[in-house]
Amino acid sequence: MSGWQFWVDRGGTFTDVVALRPDGSLATAKLLSDAPGQYGDAALEAIRRLRGRDAAPIAAVRMGTTVATNALLERKGAPTVLAITRGHRDALAIGHQARPDIFALNIVKPGLLHAHCIEIDERMSAAGEVLRPLDEAAACAGLQTAFDAGYRSLAIAFLHSFAHPDHEARVAAIAREIGFTQVTASHQVGAVIRLVPRAWTSVVDAYLSPPLAAYVGQVAAGLDGVNLAFMQSNGGLARAGHFHGRDAILSGPAGGIVGMAAAGRSVGDTRLIGFDMGGTSTDVSLHDGGFERASEVMIAGVPLSVPMLKIDTVAAGGGSIVRLDQGRLRVGPDSAGASPGPAAYGNGGPATVTDANIVLGIIQPDHFPALFGPTGSAPLDADAARARFAHLASAIGQTPEQVAAGARFIAVETMAQAIRRISVARGHDVARFTLCCFGGAGGQHACAIADQLGMTRVLIHPLAGLLSAFGIGLAESRVVRVATLGRPLTASLDLDTPAGALAAEARAALTAQGEDVASVQLAARVRYAGSDSGIDLPFADADTLARAFAAEQTSRFGFTVSGAELVVDALIAEAVGNTPALPARLAPPPEGRPHLASHRLWLGGEWRTTGFYDRAALPAGWRIVGPAVIIDSAGTTLVEPGWQAEVDDAANLILTRLAARPAPAAGDTAADPIQLEIFANRFMAIAEEMGEALKSTAWSVNIKERLDFSCALFDAAGCLVANAPHMPVHLGSMGDSVRCVMGKWAGAIRPGDAFVLNNPYAGGTHLPDVTVVMPVFVGDDLAFWVAARGHQADIGGITPGSMPPDSRSIAEEGVLIDNVRLIDEGRFCEAELLALLASGPYPARDPARSIGDLKAQAAACARGAAALVALC
């Protein structure tokens, strides 16, 4: 492709641009996204500046934008109408009863995006039978009234329209005839089951597409006739006319993951963990030869059912505030933001992680742009940073350097936990991955993060500070189509016919954008019957899918349910265009002297004089053993002791651990504020990991959707150590259940055992709240207990569900499980439990479902036990 190419990441604060010149070289620019009085659109201005007077044409512009994200966050989308099946106008307000912040005293529900609702007289059955014919006259009258009131954006969501869309399609046609300019029918955003997420996605698309289209039109008008494409949340490009609001939420961050994959290709790495650390938060992602996607996500309190690249964000960045709280040194989640910013910014801000790095000497004001203070032209104020940490140090009884090092370590631990959630918690061996570091603050902590995770290799691309823009330039055009199947996985199941039809639909959609189709990739989402959580697997025959599901289930959750029925929940087809070639030259030839200066750094509990080096002056093959600090225009990289840095032929900076990480020295038993916070975070993360495993594998709706469960860690005496933010009523009495198990089974507790009870006289609440308790042995010593309590759908009794209001005896509430063995040295006591659940005057109605929940609770406990052993 001859001519200029421009790859643009329009963020909320800055717009990053990478330009590929006609001669194959690269140029970069970074502008404020909004600069009233200086220029109009930042992307167009950057293109103008980089191109200058060059007469060569613009061959292509590729862009990621936060326009849709900001409109959603700020609730500045188009006034939208929702048309929904009569009787369900409040479905989105009710949602699925999940309580994400269970301890909140002032509960504020996110507001609805649609401003008006029309109930449509129609009803289709799940089998496609017309239960209530569509009343076209009433629908037309309701839509006309909304149109006359000024609405121009419409979302349509009917029951079972994912499989039977005729009524939706007809109402959409009526709306367009009336004059609605934006009409989104839910079967078009994804043919997936479950009304609430499908309807929400339709509303989001109708709400965001108009402001997004306005921005796309503005850019297109400034680039008349240019091939213009936009980055989608799924990691692929779409032509300007095919870019929708629902696909634009993660437009910019998706470019970073694509850029990470391209950086890995340049050095032959396909197993990568992305670490993008900014001022307020850190984004982490995983690439294992392919992009990982989430099918359902929550953005700004809005559930979306649309394929998006899987990105985990944690509130830890350079601006995270450091403070002393109840004897613990806390780092984040509150941030100093851009104003006042860290203390060193000279605007009276608090102590932050950035200030800690200044106190430790990692950030030197002499090598940092002078952009601070009230005038925006002063250097970093190192004295202000030291003063904040001196104040903290006097309260703790340590030196400022010790407190700064502790704060930095706590921030590293928080970010490492986010990486564990996307890797270890899903069955990946993180030590086999390369840490791909980008973002302004990432290089300052890269070696420390890798050490926490047992990783030995770090990759920092020459355009690490602009990696999202770079990735947008190397993305393929992609179209993803999903269709619900919901069929039992048996040898006679015909998967080829629906998969072929879905692949043809995806191929046609990409071809309609004028793109060549390089491949169509197929996948199947498989789950246990009765469970909602599926696993995406490469498309294959039924037998291969069953084996792959068992292997992946074991890897992620540590167990499989033998003999359980499997269901093909959905099919996914992804049409992919051609992959652009990597540019031949990524960095200008070195110039100048590599060594800038030497400064003192606090490393390993002492001051050490360390060299600072200019990355732009480092030739290919240059290497150094840490400690060293390497500075470039986009960030600072600390090469810690025990690590080596090397520049490869593509100008990548490769950090490699040369020696095994030294074991931590044994300390005394005095309460140390830094160690207290580190281990509090570790224990909390283990409890949260248990909760994720339970939610993902449970069968009861109460557990997997209402989140009516709790997971906790206890010491050897049965005292609470840490609990995830789950149900308070569970956590207050779960320790009594643990101690009851200890009392009854004293002398007979062995590795591989687990126990189950719901007895209200032994720490239980009501009978549907069933508790699984597991001992944790470290070596030969019983060192901890883990427990998981979940509200099962039915435990028997005179009525299904929870406590019958008219019960007079505990037998009328259900089956009493009075502290029995659930697992006997690794053997799940299924027959004994089935017999117990079938006993009594009012037995369980569906014992198999209860067994499924018990296995999920046992798996959650096993996950927690393994994590505790690894921590010890």
Short mmCIF file of all heavy atoms in Angstrom, two decimals, residues 382-402:
data_model
loop_
_atom_site.label_atom_id
_atom_site.label_comp_id
_atom_site.label_asym_id
_atom_site.label_seq_id
_atom_site.Cartn_x
_atom_site.Cartn_y
_atom_site.Cartn_z
N ALA A 382 11.11 16.91 44.28
CA ALA A 382 11.53 15.75 45.06
C ALA A 382 11.43 16.01 46.55
O ALA A 382 11.14 15.11 47.34
CB ALA A 382 12.96 15.36 44.67
N ASP A 383 11.65 17.25 46.98
CA ASP A 383 11.57 17.57 48.41
C ASP A 383 10.16 17.35 48.95
O ASP A 383 9.98 16.88 50.08
CB ASP A 383 12.01 19.01 48.65
CG ASP A 383 13.50 19.23 48.42
OD1 ASP A 383 14.25 18.23 48.49
OD2 ASP A 383 13.90 20.37 48.13
N ALA A 384 9.15 17.70 48.16
CA ALA A 384 7.77 17.49 48.60
C ALA A 384 7.48 16.00 48.77
O ALA A 384 6.81 15.59 49.72
CB ALA A 384 6.80 18.11 47.60
N ALA A 385 7.99 15.18 47.85
CA ALA A 385 7.79 13.74 47.96
C ALA A 385 8.46 13.20 49.22
O ALA A 385 7.87 12.40 49.97
CB ALA A 385 8.36 13.05 46.72
N ARG A 386 9.69 13.65 49.49
CA ARG A 386 10.40 13.16 50.68
C ARG A 386 9.69 13.61 51.95
O ARG A 386 9.63 12.86 52.94
CB ARG A 386 11.84 13.68 50.66
CG ARG A 386 12.69 13.11 49.52
CD ARG A 386 14.15 13.48 49.67
NE ARG A 386 14.91 13.08 48.48
CZ ARG A 386 15.24 13.90 47.50
NH1 ARG A 386 14.91 15.20 47.57
NH2 ARG A 386 15.91 13.47 46.46
N ALA A 387 9.14 14.81 51.95
CA ALA A 387 8.44 15.30 53.14
C ALA A 387 7.22 14.45 53.45
O ALA A 387 6.94 14.14 54.63
CB ALA A 387 8.03 16.76 52.93
N ARG A 388 6.46 14.06 52.43
CA ARG A 388 5.28 13.23 52.66
C ARG A 388 5.68 11.88 53.26
O ARG A 388 5.03 11.37 54.19
CB ARG A 388 4.52 13.00 51.35
CG ARG A 388 3.89 14.24 50.75
CD ARG A 388 2.69 14.72 51.55
NE ARG A 388 1.97 15.75 50.83
CZ ARG A 388 2.28 17.04 50.85
NH1 ARG A 388 3.30 17.46 51.59
NH2 ARG A 388 1.57 17.91 50.16
N PHE A 389 6.74 11.28 52.76
CA PHE A 389 7.14 9.97 53.27
C PHE A 389 7.84 10.09 54.62
O PHE A 389 7.79 9.14 55.43
CB PHE A 389 8.00 9.24 52.25
CG PHE A 389 7.17 8.50 51.24
CD1 PHE A 389 6.79 9.09 50.05
CD2 PHE A 389 6.71 7.22 51.50
CE1 PHE A 389 6.00 8.43 49.13
CE2 PHE A 389 5.91 6.53 50.61
CZ PHE A 389 5.56 7.15 49.41
N ALA A 390 8.49 11.22 54.90
CA ALA A 390 9.05 11.42 56.23
C ALA A 390 7.95 11.46 57.28
O ALA A 390 8.10 10.94 58.39
CB ALA A 390 9.87 12.71 56.25
N HIS A 391 6.81 12.07 56.93
CA HIS A 391 5.68 12.12 57.85
C HIS A 391 5.13 10.71 58.12
O HIS A 391 4.86 10.36 59.28
CB HIS A 391 4.59 13.01 57.26
CG HIS A 391 3.36 13.10 58.10
ND1 HIS A 391 3.30 13.82 59.28
CD2 HIS A 391 2.13 12.53 57.95
CE1 HIS A 391 2.10 13.70 59.82
NE2 HIS A 391 1.37 12.93 59.02
N LEU A 392 4.98 9.91 57.08
CA LEU A 392 4.52 8.53 57.26
C LEU A 392 5.53 7.73 58.07
O LEU A 392 5.16 6.94 58.95
CB LEU A 392 4.30 7.86 55.90
CG LEU A 392 3.09 8.32 55.09
CD1 LEU A 392 3.18 7.77 53.67
CD2 LEU A 392 1.80 7.85 55.74
N ALA A 393 6.82 7.94 57.78
CA ALA A 393 7.86 7.17 58.46
C ALA A 393 7.87 7.44 59.96
O ALA A 393 8.06 6.53 60.78
CB ALA A 393 9.22 7.50 57.85
N SER A 394 7.63 8.70 60.36
CA SER A 394 7.63 9.02 61.78
C SER A 394 6.48 8.34 62.51
O SER A 394 6.61 7.97 63.68
CB SER A 394 7.55 10.55 61.96
OG SER A 394 6.30 11.04 61.47
N ALA A 395 5.35 8.15 61.81
CA ALA A 395 4.21 7.48 62.43
C ALA A 395 4.43 5.98 62.55
O ALA A 395 3.93 5.33 63.47
CB ALA A 395 2.95 7.76 61.62
N ILE A 396 5.20 5.41 61.62
CA ILE A 396 5.42 3.96 61.61
C ILE A 396 6.63 3.57 62.43
O ILE A 396 6.71 2.47 62.99
CB ILE A 396 5.57 3.48 60.14
CG1 ILE A 396 4.24 3.67 59.40
CG2 ILE A 396 6.00 2.02 60.08
CD1 ILE A 396 4.31 3.33 57.93
N GLY A 397 7.61 4.46 62.51
CA GLY A 397 8.85 4.13 63.19
C GLY A 397 9.88 3.51 62.28
O GLY A 397 10.72 2.71 62.72
N GLN A 398 9.83 3.86 60.99
CA GLN A 398 10.81 3.40 60.02
C GLN A 398 11.39 4.60 59.31
O GLN A 398 10.97 5.74 59.52
CB GLN A 398 10.17 2.42 59.03
CG GLN A 398 9.61 1.16 59.66
CD GLN A 398 9.05 0.19 58.61
OE1 GLN A 398 9.11 0.43 57.42
NE2 GLN A 398 8.50 -0.92 59.09
N THR A 399 12.36 4.36 58.41
CA THR A 399 12.92 5.45 57.63
C THR A 399 12.03 5.74 56.44
O THR A 399 11.26 4.86 55.99
CB THR A 399 14.33 5.10 57.14
OG1 THR A 399 14.23 4.03 56.18
CG2 THR A 399 15.23 4.66 58.29
N PRO A 400 12.11 6.94 55.86
CA PRO A 400 11.31 7.24 54.66
C PRO A 400 11.59 6.26 53.52
O PRO A 400 10.66 5.89 52.79
CB PRO A 400 11.74 8.66 54.30
CG PRO A 400 12.19 9.26 55.59
CD PRO A 400 12.83 8.14 56.35
N GLU A 401 12.84 5.84 53.38
CA GLU A 401 13.17 4.90 52.30
C GLU A 401 12.50 3.55 52.52
O GLU A 401 12.01 2.92 51.57
CB GLU A 401 14.69 4.72 52.21
CG GLU A 401 15.45 5.96 51.78
CD GLU A 401 15.66 6.93 52.94
OE1 GLU A 401 15.44 6.52 54.11
OE2 GLU A 401 16.05 8.08 52.68
N GLN A 402 12.46 3.08 53.78
CA GLN A 402 11.80 1.81 54.06
C GLN A 402 10.31 1.88 53.76
O GLN A 402 9.72 0.95 53.20
CB GLN A 402 12.03 1.42 55.52
CG GLN A 402 13.46 1.00 55.83
CD GLN A 402 13.68 0.78 57.32
OE1 GLN A 402 13.18 1.56 58.14
NE2 GLN A 402 14.42 -0.27 57.67
#
